[in-house]
């Protein structure tokens, strides 16, 4: 509902914190867009351009599971939103608006909410989004944030993870493993805490940077696409199973940031964490051979890093990874590949 | 995302529970509808009939806040879904589909999930809904359930809570106060536990019964509409403020179930709980005088109970309630009326 209706909020007799309506009016109503009734109504009226469909996704993040309770509220908001934006980008959809269910810890402070809302506001500006509505409530064990985001798309251009065919080339956006190593830094891994790029890796754990601007290229050229949220290898296996193909991947081709490359250079075993850890929020997609020329022409004029990492083969859902040593390693049984 | 992507689930090494994919395939994929890719994809493709818009709402419920952790999973699911259906009904929209973010307590069992999914399945059948996707995750302090639901609507017929005008007549669907007294029964209120209708009131606390079939009549005739979730008086004040009118209400006209009437007969003070307690999930709406004939004709042929309870007057957001004793009582400062 567009009213962020937080009865439980106002039932607490805490005069040092704003009530639900003040909270919404002060921090969230400024983010409201068309059809959101300034967050005063029970729902939102979502208009859709004639001939278009919506790509819609809902992803939640929870304190102690997806982020640390003392992470900066600003980046918690960004992570909560961006884990949805990566889903939309991978479908070929440009995000338009979102709704927010915000479960606040019983000891929430106005400062926390202000910083959280600032994070959302910054991303609304950066990505051209508006808030359509939602809900606030008290969440013991929270904060917990559930966002539903959507964007318009031509139905024929929606790209699921089911469409890869043998011979299709496999690509990934951005670089892989930054957040996995960032989380290890947060956990004080002694191999990493003194790395030159530790702060950069940690910042990418706090707030991913999904390739939102890349959506039109996926819409135009991909045969299958998904975001990488649970680890590169594991998610590639999901695409292999969903599309009923095998993938051959060269680990040497998987794009790594200078920071991850540095870490792996010093501690080679970290490549496993980079390729199987989660929170990349990049796009993994396939391009049919006959689309390659047009695809290559299109990516030449945009800024998202794109790397070819493998190829689809006839099969039944397995992933073979040629490791750094050059050995091919089969997988397919577990949620990620064992090296 | 249509894949209910529960990385956290599979990271627990508990072989007695199904992994995320088994969980989704077994219990949630059977609820998947058009555009949901059998819950195998990151998002859903939502088609919209040309010329139509969507009414969209997102409401969450949390253990220990909106329900008791040991409530039946079947009714927890129904409550989680129906608190959204009442929002849509009040907007004049018939629900079509929903997505689900399901935060499971770390000690979740397969039996709990099976019962929860059964509740959703029963409501999908009852209301003609399908599941488009969502997310599962571990939620310390949970379960927490965030549902986003939508239905198609003619944009011109979307009814916000902002449109009431002086002279409009005020109506409510169903009966008021059942769930408030049901919650008091759950809390072992000695005035109520031995009431003949205690089980009925408690069941209405566990799973509300929003007037989903009434949506077309609201779409056709209402000038303003909202659902009653935080209590009849408090929500009426919200409508008064949003529409910038005053309301005059007769407490004697507010429809009560036989069970609440019985309870109030024995303990007259309970009328306050009935009129200010929450969880009614009925519709509160206004009808302009010139629509009254057509409105009365339309409600004659449908089954939802409708009661006229007051009238809008020129004003600035106050609610005056003629109490059972006949005295008029002003309000407007707090989130509910003090009697």
């Amino acid at each position: 509902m567009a009213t962020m209706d937080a009865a439980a909020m106002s039932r607490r007799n805490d005069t040092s914190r704003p009530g639900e309506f003040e909270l919404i009016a002060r921090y969230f109503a400024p983010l409201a867009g068309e059809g959101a009734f300034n967050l005063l109504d029970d729902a939102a009226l979502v208009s859709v351009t004639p001939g278009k469909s919506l790509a819609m996704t809902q992803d939640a993040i929870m304190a102690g599971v997806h982020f640390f309770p003392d992470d900066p509220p600003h980046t918690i908001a960004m992570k909560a939103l961006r884990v949805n934006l990566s889903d939309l980008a991978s479908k070929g959809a440009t995000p338009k608006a979102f709704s927010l269910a915000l479960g606040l810890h019983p000891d929430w402070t106005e400062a926390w909410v202000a910083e959280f809302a600032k994070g959302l506001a910054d991303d609304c500006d950066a990505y051209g989004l508006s808030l359509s509505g939602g809900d606030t409530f008290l969440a013991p064990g929270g904060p917990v944030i559930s966002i539903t985001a959507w964007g318009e798309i031509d139905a024929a251009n929606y790209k699921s993870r089911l469409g890869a065919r043998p011979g299709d080339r496999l690509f990934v956006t951005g670089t892989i493993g930054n957040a996995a190593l960032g989380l290890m830094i947060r956990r004080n891994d002694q191999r990493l805490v003194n790395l030159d790029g530790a702060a950069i890796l940690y910042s990418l754990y706090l707030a991913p940077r999904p390739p939102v601007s890349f959506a039109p290229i996926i819409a135009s050229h991909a045969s299958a696409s998904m975001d990488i949220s649970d680890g590169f290898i594991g998610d590639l296996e999901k695409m292999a199973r969903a599309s009923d193909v095998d993938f051959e991947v060269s680990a040497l081709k998987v794009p790594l940031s200078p920071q991850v490359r540095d870490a792996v250079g010093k501690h080679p075993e970290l490549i496993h964490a980079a390729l199987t850890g989660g929170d990349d929020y990049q796009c993994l997609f396939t391009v049919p051979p006959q689309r390659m020329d047009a695809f290559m022409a299109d990516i030449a004029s945009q800024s998202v890093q794109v790397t070819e990492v493998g190829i689809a083969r006839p099969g039944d859902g397995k992933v073979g990874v040629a490791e750094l040593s050059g050995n091919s390693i089969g997988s397919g049984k577990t949620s990620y590949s064992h090296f």
Side-chain angles (χ1 to χ4, degrees), chain A residues 139-218:
Chain A
V144 57
I145 303 110
S146 170
I147 282 181
T148 300
W150 58 91
E152 289 187 349
I153 193 165
D154 292 322
N157 283 343
Y158 178 102
K159 298 304 163 72
S160 79
R161 64 175 71 173
L162 286 69
R165 296 292 168 263
D168 288 359
R169 317 269 282 265
L170 180 69
F171 293 86
V172 64
T173 60
T175 54
I176 297 299
N178 302 297
L181 269 54
L183 174 59
M184 294 166 77
I185 289 162
R186 175 64 167 81
R187 287 178 170 152
N188 208 27
D189 189 303
Q190 290 304 307
R191 293 170 295 182
L192 294 169
V193 288
N194 294 318
L195 199 74
D196 271 354
I200 291 174
L201 296 177
Y202 177 50
S203 76
L204 288 166
Y205 167 74
L206 288 175
R209 299 184 196 162
V212 171
S213 67
F214 196 72
I217 292 179
I218 287 176

Side-chain angles (χ1 to χ4, degrees), chain A residues 234-253:
Chain A
D235 283 341
L236 183 56
E237 293 190 343
K238 291 176 195 164
M239 183 184 282
R241 287 195 298 268
S243 290
D244 205 24
V245 296
D246 287 352
F247 282 111
E248 285 178 18
V249 175
S250 166
L252 278 171
K253 291 185 180 168

